[in-house]
Amino acid sequence: MEWTRFLFCLALFFVSTTASTIETLHKIEDLKNKTFGHEYPRHGLLLLYWLANHISIGQSEDILLHFDPARQDYGFRYYESSSETGTPLPYLDDSSDRAYYSLGSLSSETVRTKLPPYVTQDYYNAFEDPKRDLDRIVLRVSRTNPNQADKVYITQAVSNEQDADYDPDETFEINPNLLTQVQILKTPLDLIQILESHVSGAQNSDDPRLVLSKDQLLYHLKHSDKHLQTIFEDPGMRWLLILAGYDIDNRYNIHKKAWSCPADEPIQHDQISRDPETLCEGHSTVKIEVKSTEDGYAKIIWSGLPKNILKMNSTIILFSSDTSDELERFTAIGGQTSGSYETYLALNHGIHPRLVAFNFVFEFGFIGLRYSVIWRGSQFDEANRVIPTKITGYNASLQLYTTGGYACARIYIRNSFTDWKSEFANSWVSFYTSDQELDHNYKHYQWVTKFSKVENTEEYLIYEYKSSMSIGPGVQARFIFSRGRVLSRIFRSSATVKARTVPWESVKN
Ligand SMILES: *[C@@H]1O[C@H](CO)[C@@H](O)[C@H](O)[C@H]1NC(C)=O
Ligand SMILES: *[C@@H]1O[C@H](CO)[C@@H](O)[C@H](O)[C@H]1NC(C)=O
Ligand SMILES: *[C@@H]1O[C@H](CO)[C@@H](O)[C@H](O)[C@H]1NC(C)=O
């Protein structure tokens, strides 16, 4: 008798400890009745899509990151799992070779500017909604090799201010298989083949779309996908929202209101209409971006503006940040659905473009200008959302960025690389107008040892240098290593190029 009771107690104990462990989600369908990123303006599913497209998953389900979270790439931050913080994640002590990094805290400007517009657009446009910054992804990475992750979690901040506290009921582990499914969504669906074959409804396919019946597939293509296509450009992204159970109807209603679409279902033209009357009748998204002129000033590029918006006397205004109300520059869009406009506003981190409708009002005997914001674009990122380039053979990297419209370089040195000052005593960084320029045809240079120290992170020392050369499309920085002093600054055979940054604005991201 005593013996059975003991067993019973033991069983209870076992149940209560396992109940506090974190549930693992193995497939996209498992996300279905979770709240993570499931309604406007939450960004969790968008972040998850972003992550799946920036990693490779190996045979043994190991996750190779195409970025370094310890270097703060894309706004990753070190996340401390100390016993004081309210974290549901397993505790890691200092001797552990693992560390947590969290992603997605959009309230921080350095984070939101580094992520692509599809992740941040709802944050910018849901200005006072507290739900716009709840979702986080946390990676558990190896300290010695921060490109290697062994765990992925999705979670939710308890409040926007206290990023240390995550809600245990909203924390889940993501199995690599789920991330593989998200990656598969990138491949277009061959609808004709599916409709002609009996493949759909197949439970054992890797492609999560093929689990749907033909009727469900057609429904999603006719309704869900049509409603999302002028909100999210990437079809794979739209599939993730559909399959994970995102609240598409609510999102579409908000979209219709923002862009003044008719309340009833717009006529769906099968032919691609070049100039749709309203955005909801179109087939593509609106884009508003801040780029660089040839000499470091802000240039606005826009596309996809529908006719009804152009008729509202709309234009794009640049602000110095997303929280600023001081008009920096007007740009004239001249009633064009797409185009570009060059300003004389020096490029700086955080510049924010907003699409507005304006009208002149007469008040107190003066003519006043009033505007109302239709849509907010993404802020300009000082490094164009391009992560640093590795300096070959060293635990260090080089990044090109701009401030005040000048070409600048930043060097990241891993803390473990302690003798870098002597190793790089004769190395320098030079700036070129294009990646085609020969190494000795630089416009500007600086010795690495003369860079200024700006920050000390958990893993890196950060040094910066601002040149007097303008930033502009094609500009490139190169890290040039030399053992001996090259006094005349003339290229010698002893000097070798160890890093070339991505030429400015040469990648679409
Ligand atoms: C989640 O969905 C499944 C069916 O898809 C259902 O059985 C289960 O009760 C749901 N869980 C919650 C918490 O709603
Ligand atoms: C647009 O501006 C013109 C004059 O510049 C004015 O006549 C017209 O009423 C304006 N339209 C709207 C919708 O405000
Ligand atoms: C970079 O650092 C890691 C860990 O500290 C070390 O194992 C590796 O050898 C270093 N690589 C180079 C090129 O110094």
Side-chain angles (χ1 to χ4, degrees):
M1 269 316 198
E2 284 305 299
W3 185 238
T4 28
R5 223 170 72 202
F6 175 64
L7 275 182
F8 178 65
C9 291
L10 199 68
L12 255 187
F13 173 73
F14 191 67
V15 167
S16 63
T17 50
T18 48
S20 71
T21 60
I22 297 171
E23 185 190 339
T24 302
L25 311 183
H26 294 270
K27 47 193 193 311
I28 292 175
E29 203 182 345
D30 296 345
L31 286 164
K32 248 184 168 166
N33 45 19
K34 306 293 179 273
T35 59
F36 180 75
H38 277 60
E39 56 168 348
Y40 179 88
R42 296 186 58 167
H43 64 296
L45 294 172
L46 313 172
L47 268 185
L48 195 62
Y49 187 76
W50 177 90
L51 179 71
N53 287 292
H54 286 79
I55 58 174
S56 310
I57 298 164
Q59 291 287 308
S60 51
E61 301 207 323
D62 48 316
I63 300 169
L64 178 70
L65 309 175
H66 300 170
F67 54 87
D68 178 355
R71 203 173 49 193
Q72 303 179 330
D73 290 359
Y74 301 116
F76 270 94
R77 292 173 167 184
Y78 178 69
Y79 175 71
E80 185 151 11
S81 70
S82 79
S83 37
E84 293 106 71
T85 59
T87 177
L89 302 179
Y91 175 67
L92 298 176
D93 64 36
D94 289 343
S95 64
S96 162
D97 178 48
R98 305 271 183 243
Y100 290 122
Y101 285 92
S102 78
L103 175 70
S105 177
L106 301 182
S107 302
S108 159
E109 189 175 73
T110 55
V111 175
R112 64 177 174 266
T113 51
K114 291 180 186 172
L115 290 165
Y118 70 80
V119 175
T120 56
Q121 63 174 350
D122 291 350
Y123 173 88
Y124 284 118
N125 286 287
F127 208 48
E128 268 162 359
D129 191 327
K131 290 208 284 283
R132 69 180 184 152
D133 187 26
L134 286 180
D135 303 319
R136 303 285 184 273
I137 286 180
V138 180
L139 303 180
R140 193 173 84 172
V141 305
S142 151
R143 280 184 195 270
T144 41
N145 181 8
N147 294 115
Q148 204 78 44
D150 69 341
K151 296 261 187 217
V152 176
Y153 300 95
I154 56 172
T155 186
Q156 177 177 321
V158 172
S159 76
N160 290 341
E161 290 77 35
Q162 289 199 321
D163 205 34
D165 291 358
Y166 292 147
D167 185 343
D169 295 333
E170 302 294 342
T171 301
F172 303 96
E173 190 181 328
I174 298 292
N175 182 277
N177 180 55
L178 193 158
L179 296 166
T180 305
Q181 285 196 327
V182 179
Q183 292 176 333
I184 290 171
L185 301 178
K186 199 97 188 155
T187 33
L189 203 57
D190 187 346
L191 197 63
I192 295 173
Q193 194 201 337
I194 289 162
L195 294 179
E196 282 175 355
S197 72
H198 305 285
V199 179
S200 77
Q203 296 296 324
N204 54 1
S205 167
D206 287 339
D207 189 331
R209 293 167 292 194
L210 298 184
V211 174
L212 300 172
S213 68
K214 282 179 193 174
D215 287 346
Q216 285 171 317
L217 258 177
L218 286 177
Y219 174 82
H220 284 314
L221 288 170
K222 272 212 168 101
H223 298 272
S224 321
D225 194 61
K226 276 244 154 70
H227 287 175
L228 289 174
Q229 72 180 351
T230 57
I231 308 174
F232 298 105
E233 184 184 23
D234 187 328
M237 166 86 254
R238 305 201 290 264
W239 270 115
L240 175 61
L241 296 180
I242 293 167
L243 297 172
Y246 181 80
D247 188 348
I248 294 168
D249 291 342
N250 178 50
R251 181 67 188 85
Y252 186 55
N253 285 333
I254 288 163
H255 183 64
K256 285 203 294 194
K257 229 173 114 192
W259 293 99
S260 308
C261 297
D264 38 291
E265 192 73 5
I267 313 118
Q268 292 290 346
H269 301 284
D270 284 332
Q271 257 76 47
I272 303 225
S273 155
R274 276 218 332 243
D275 301 312
E277 189 59 38
T278 68
L279 187 54
C280 305
E281 289 157 78
H283 293 263
S284 53
T285 56
V286 165
K287 281 193 205 126
I288 296 174
E289 294 171 291
V290 178
K291 295 273 185 194
S292 176
T293 64
E294 290 295 327
D295 41 13
Y297 294 105
K299 170 165 126 184
I300 275 287
I301 297 184
W302 72 93
S303 64
L305 290 182
K307 279 192 207 149
N308 69 328
I309 298 296
L310 293 171
K311 277 184 208 145
M312 288 178 191
N313 288 343
S314 49
T315 194
I316 297 165
I317 304 181
L318 297 182
F319 294 82
S320 61
S321 80
D322 69 324
T323 48
S324 166
D325 282 324
E326 296 230 353
L327 288 157
E328 296 284 349
R329 289 293 184 283
F330 267 101
T331 62
I333 62 175
Q336 301 294 311
T337 53
S338 63
S340 70
Y341 183 87
E342 302 198 346
T343 72
Y344 283 100
L345 177 66
L347 268 180
N348 268 309
H349 185 66
I351 290 178
H352 190 220
R354 295 176 210 164
L355 176 67
V356 305
F358 66 89
N359 54 342
F360 293 100
V361 290
F362 291 95
E363 47 186 19
F364 315 118
F366 293 98
I367 299 177
L369 183 64
R370 289 281 177 79
Y371 68 86
S372 56
V373 177
I374 301 170
W375 198 68
R376 296 160 161 263
S378 305
Q379 287 176 274
F380 173 75
D381 175 62
E382 55 169 17
N384 254 337
R385 298 197 289 271
V386 173
I387 61 172
T389 306
K390 220 173 139 31
I391 297 172
T392 311
Y394 294 98
N395 276 321
S397 39
L398 175 69
Q399 187 177 39
L400 179 66
Y401 73 99
T402 186
T403 179
Y406 293 103
C408 305
R410 185 177 286 138
I411 296 177
Y412 291 79
I413 313 258
R414 275 286 286 278
N415 285 335
S416 59
F417 182 16
T418 48
D419 62 342
W420 70 275
K421 277 199 174 153
S422 59
E423 191 66 22
F424 291 160
N426 299 309
S427 299
W428 69 95
V429 171
S430 40
F431 296 88
Y432 300 83
T433 50
S434 100
D435 62 343
Q436 302 298 309
E437 290 295 343
L438 298 174
D439 290 328
H440 62 267
N441 278 344
Y442 53 81
K443 284 277 176 287
H444 206 93
Y445 85 100
Q446 182 56 280
W447 299 107
V448 170
T449 49
K450 295 219 169 127
F451 275 50
S452 339
K453 184 167 171 183
V454 288
E455 217 188 319
N456 229 350
T457 72
E458 280 290 315
E459 301 286 345
Y460 282 93
L461 294 170
I462 304 173
Y463 282 75
E464 289 179 350
Y465 172 71
K466 178 177 165 179
S467 83
S468 56
M469 171 184 158
S470 299
I471 197 75
V475 167
Q476 184 181 54
R478 296 178 204 166
F479 185 97
I480 305 185
F481 176 84
S482 171
R483 287 255 166 240
R485 198 58 139 177
V486 184
L487 283 175
S488 60
R489 289 186 270 125
I490 291 170
F491 240 80
R492 295 249 198 97
S493 51
S494 65
T496 47
V497 180
K498 298 266 187 198
R500 293 163 198 269
T501 64
V502 169
W504 191 256
E505 287 179 12
S506 65
V507 286
K508 186 178 172 287
N509 56 11

